[in-house]
Amino acid sequence: LMFASLKYSNITGPINEHVYQLIDWAHKGAVASFVYGAIPMLAYNLFGRDANISKRLITKGFFSIHRNPFYTGLLSATGLITAQNIATNFATENPHYLSMSGLLLGALLFASGIDKARRNDEKGLEKKFGEQYREYMKKTPAYIPRLSNLFKRD
């Protein structure tokens, strides 16, 4: 959301209208990804809660197609924001390759931190819910949505 005010004023070279559109779609996709991740967390009042506090295992809705909708949303948004900024940088007359490298490194470190947080959360959930959570992990991917799970009946 902090990128909502991004304008293309730093693009000084000749640029194809399609590049502007791709940059704009990456921005919209990043916002949509973040909202996608936040919806289930808000719906189940899970923000700021430790995984060990959960009283029941939530496996319906967003949680039926992947175990970590919030982390998936953050990772998708990060990837799209990174792509948007790299495209914007390439569109300038003098691209700054060092800043693009730093941006990629930062995105990779952020993704690594998100994955570590996911693993820690899942350890707590596995400890609390035991076999029920292990079965859920077998059926439900961590990040990539499995849409066929929406149509399964338990």
Side-chain angles (χ1 to χ4, degrees), residues 62-129:
F62 286 97
F63 293 96
S64 71
I65 60 174
H66 51 106
R67 298 190 305 268
N68 305 284
F70 184 63
Y71 293 151
T72 299
L74 283 178
L75 289 172
S76 298
T78 300
L80 288 165
I81 289 167
T82 302
Q84 173 191 15
N85 282 291
I86 288 173
T88 302
N89 198 355
F90 269 121
T92 62
E93 281 184 8
N94 300 310
H96 301 283
Y97 298 105
L98 187 59
S99 66
M100 286 188 284
S101 300
L103 183 64
L104 281 172
L105 179 62
L108 289 172
L109 289 172
F110 181 75
S112 173
I114 290 291
D115 193 57
K116 183 175 182 179
R118 175 197 60 85
R119 287 191 311 264
N120 287 338
D121 285 354
E122 289 189 340
K123 281 180 190 174
L125 290 165
E126 189 173 2
K127 186 176 181 181
K128 181 168 182 111
F129 296 108

Side-chain angles (χ1 to χ4, degrees), residues 9-105:
S9 60
N10 64 334
I11 299 176
T12 55
I15 184 168
N16 188 316
E17 184 63 30
H18 295 294
V19 175
Y20 278 123
Q21 290 174 345
L22 288 172
I23 292 169
D24 191 47
W25 277 106
H27 175 142
K28 290 173 182 171
V31 172
S33 294
F34 182 79
V35 170
Y36 170 85
I39 287 172
M41 302 301 285
L42 292 169
Y44 291 104
N45 193 25
L46 297 174
F47 275 119
R49 291 190 159 209
D50 185 348
N52 296 318
I53 295 175
S54 299
K55 295 193 182 348
R56 65 185 174 94
L57 181 61
I58 302 167
T59 61
K60 303 290 181 210
F62 286 97
F63 293 96
S64 71
I65 60 174
H66 51 106
R67 298 190 305 268
N68 305 284
F70 184 63
Y71 293 151
T72 299
L74 283 178
L75 289 172
S76 298
T78 300
L80 288 165
I81 289 167
T82 302
Q84 173 191 15
N85 282 291
I86 288 173
T88 302
N89 198 355
F90 269 121
T92 62
E93 281 184 8
N94 300 310
H96 301 283
Y97 298 105
L98 187 59
S99 66
M100 286 188 284
S101 300
L103 183 64
L104 281 172
L105 179 62

